[in-house]
């Protein structure tokens, strides 16, 4: 089983990894570095001063090359700042708790903005099944859903970044067995 899973007799909790993934750190860093380089290149073409010491960009015309570099650099820095904020706030992380004692399923996630913390509580008696769904593509990974009797499907996000298909299937089967509901889609 996974390290993110805590099971007692009547309570089961799964810790969900949010936006603090290695890939997000790498992507945000590369995007920030590239955005700053593009921004400084655009400024160098406008002011005819070399802001990047290892290259001579003063020969670029501001219109259209310099302004384009300035625009793309600004967009890249803004997107990078947004990704860093989601990493700092750890958006998407949380806990799935299945409590037989209280008879409820609690799904808790960290959000952003006014809804900083999202908490959904469903009675276990309202759970119809656990569904495994896979998209028809080259490298598809199945997703696990909590299906309610009112036909809602709540996605249960992955515990770790790139799980094996067998782990996902075992997780879904164990969860269905724990909640005493049937497993759909296997």
């Amino acid at each position: 089983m996974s390290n993110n899973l805590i099971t007692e007799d009547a309570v089961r909790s799964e810790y969900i990894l949010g936006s603090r993934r290695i890939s997000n750190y790498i992507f945000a860093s590369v995007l920030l570095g590239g955005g700053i380089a593009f921004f400084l290149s655009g400024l160098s073409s406008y002011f005819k001063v070399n802001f990047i010491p290892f290259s001579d960009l003063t020969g670029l015309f501001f219109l259209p090359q310099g302004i384009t570099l300035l625009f793309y650099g600004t967009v890249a820095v803004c997107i990078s700042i947004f990704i860093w904020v989601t990493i700092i706030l750890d958006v998407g992380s949380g806990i799935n708790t299945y409590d037989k004692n209280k008879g409820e399923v609690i799904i808790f996630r960290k959000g952003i903005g006014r809804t900083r913390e999202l908490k959904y509580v469903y009675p276990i008696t309202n759970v119809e099944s656990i569904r495994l769904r896979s998209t028809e593509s080259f490298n598809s990974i199945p997703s696990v859903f909590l299906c309610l009797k009112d036909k809602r499907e709540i996605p249960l996000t992955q515990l770790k970044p790139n799980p094996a298909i067998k782990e996902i299937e075992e997780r879904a089967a164990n969860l269905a067995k724990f909640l005493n509901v049937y497993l759909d889609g296997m």
Side-chain angles (χ1 to χ4, degrees):
M1 271 284 134
S2 174
N3 294 343
N4 297 339
L5 182 66
I6 295 176
T7 304
E8 294 178 14
D9 292 339
V11 179
R12 180 176 176 167
S13 295
E14 299 173 336
Y15 293 96
I16 305 299
L17 180 64
S19 59
R20 291 186 181 169
R21 300 172 189 255
I22 303 253
S23 60
N24 285 347
Y25 283 104
I26 292 170
F27 184 68
S29 299
V30 168
L31 196 59
L32 182 64
I36 289 172
F38 269 51
F39 186 79
L40 290 177
S41 299
L43 286 181
S44 294
S45 71
Y46 181 75
F47 290 116
K48 301 295 183 205
V49 175
N50 220 5
F51 291 119
I52 299 178
F54 52 83
S55 65
D56 184 22
L57 299 168
T58 57
L60 281 177
F61 294 110
F62 182 67
L63 288 174
Q65 292 99 347
I67 199 164
T68 304
L69 287 170
L70 200 61
F71 172 74
Y72 284 125
T74 304
V75 169
V77 168
C78 290
I79 292 172
S80 172
I81 289 170
F82 174 76
I83 294 171
W84 279 111
V85 168
T86 61
I87 289 171
I88 290 167
L89 296 177
D90 199 16
V91 174
S93 68
I95 301 172
N96 295 344
T97 304
Y98 312 98
D99 191 345
K100 286 185 177 179
N101 292 334
K102 294 181 182 177
E104 59 188 18
V105 174
I106 302 169
I107 298 174
F108 175 80
R109 297 286 183 278
K110 289 183 182 176
I112 195 166
R114 283 189 220 156
T115 54
R116 181 75 181 104
E117 294 181 347
L118 304 169
K119 183 178 181 181
Y120 299 102
V121 180
Y122 304 102
I124 287 180
T125 56
N126 199 18
V127 176
E128 184 177 35
S129 67
I130 301 296
R131 177 167 292 154
L132 263 171
R133 185 182 304 154
S134 181
T135 57
E136 297 296 326
S137 65
F138 172 68
N139 193 16
S140 66
I141 294 177
S143 299
V144 180
F145 293 88
L146 182 75
C147 299
L148 303 178
K149 290 181 180 174
D150 59 0
K151 303 302 179 202
R152 287 185 288 174
E153 294 183 354
I154 292 95
L156 303 174
T157 56
Q158 303 305 330
L159 302 178
K160 50 187 188 173
N162 294 313
I165 293 174
K166 183 179 178 184
E167 286 181 48
I168 296 171
E169 291 173 349
E170 284 177 6
R171 175 184 172 220
N174 290 336
L175 182 58
K177 185 177 178 182
F178 180 79
L179 294 175
N180 200 24
V181 295
Y182 68 93
L183 182 60
D184 188 20
M186 265 186 88

